[in-house]
Amino acid sequence: MASGLRALRVVHPFPSLLNAALVLTLAVVAGATAATAVLLTVGMIGIQFCIGAVNDLNDVELDRRSKPWKPIPAGLLSVRTATAIAAAAATVAVIAPLTQGPIVASMALVMLGCGLLYDLKLKPTAWAWACFSVAFAILPIYAWYGVTATLPPLAQFVIPLAALAGPALQISNSVVDLEQDAAAGVATLATRLGRGPSLAVVAVLLIIIYGLAWTTLTVVTGELNPAVLAATLIAVVGLGLQSRIGVGYREVGWSLQACGIALLALGWLSAVA
């Protein structure tokens, strides 16, 4: 049982389920029927599971040296099985969104393409953040347009905020593995900049994201939003943990930042919708 649960890490369950939960809740806020909300969510799960499995498949040799506990190097999952999982997830990622029309399916394909480009080409480079930026900008549109066939409210703010959230989380995630990546010769933006400057970049991006969110909410609603307040506090705690030396602290810090961004998106869109 325990080994089976460990094998599931090949699909990177935390970010996969977090993004799927965000799509589900945004679809509900947009007024989706149960069927539409489920189909959009299943599509996102397919996208994320495929990206996660391909990531591990592409990093097998590197993981054998630096992360032998991961499912494939640990012998919990064969390359053939992981490949089958990725193929099945990709199929779901295409078919489920297609039920909501070609435009929604196209957005799903672009997000999937960004993830695969990151896995196969850009992950060990200083440009990995670009994949996150594009995919994150599309995610709220995918959820909202999939329900209403219109852009989300205040899309002129939603899109740039989401586009900035992508690099913030990607760089923050790279900080977690900075020493391992540097030892393996992987030249990510974080390894090029170093831990301090990388966290400074993340901090600046978070200040811009949360500052714009608070400013627009103040102008549009004039009310204090509990979800946005909670998201802001989570972001501060997460950044503080990211500044710690221990990898475990940094992992928790990155996880909190990801949860904070998801909560911010939900609270902000709920307030302005």
Side-chain angles (χ1 to χ4, degrees), residues 13 16 27 43 60 73 75 80 87 97 106 108 131 133 135 141 144 152 237 239 245 249 251 261 264:
S16 296
V60 169
R80 182 176 179 179
S106 297
C131 298
S133 186
I141 304 173
W144 202 273
V237 174
L239 190 61
I245 294 176
Y249 286 111
E251 181 83 41
I261 289 293
L264 175 68

Side-chain angles (χ1 to χ4, degrees), residues 164-246:
L164 289 174
L169 291 180
Q170 192 278 323
I171 297 170
S172 176
N173 190 29
S174 295
V175 169
V176 176
D177 296 325
L178 191 148
E179 290 85 2
Q180 290 179 329
D181 286 342
V186 179
T188 65
L189 184 59
T191 59
R192 291 166 186 254
L193 293 176
R195 189 159 66 93
S198 295
L199 288 176
V201 171
V202 172
V204 169
L205 289 173
L206 292 177
I207 289 170
I208 294 171
I209 292 165
Y210 284 88
L212 285 175
W214 276 107
T215 301
T216 52
L217 276 182
T218 300
V219 171
V220 174
T221 69
E223 298 177 354
L224 179 66
N225 184 279
V228 175
L229 176 60
T232 306
L233 295 175
I234 289 171
V236 172
V237 174
L239 190 61
L241 289 173
Q242 281 268 284
S243 67
R244 301 290 294 271
I245 294 176

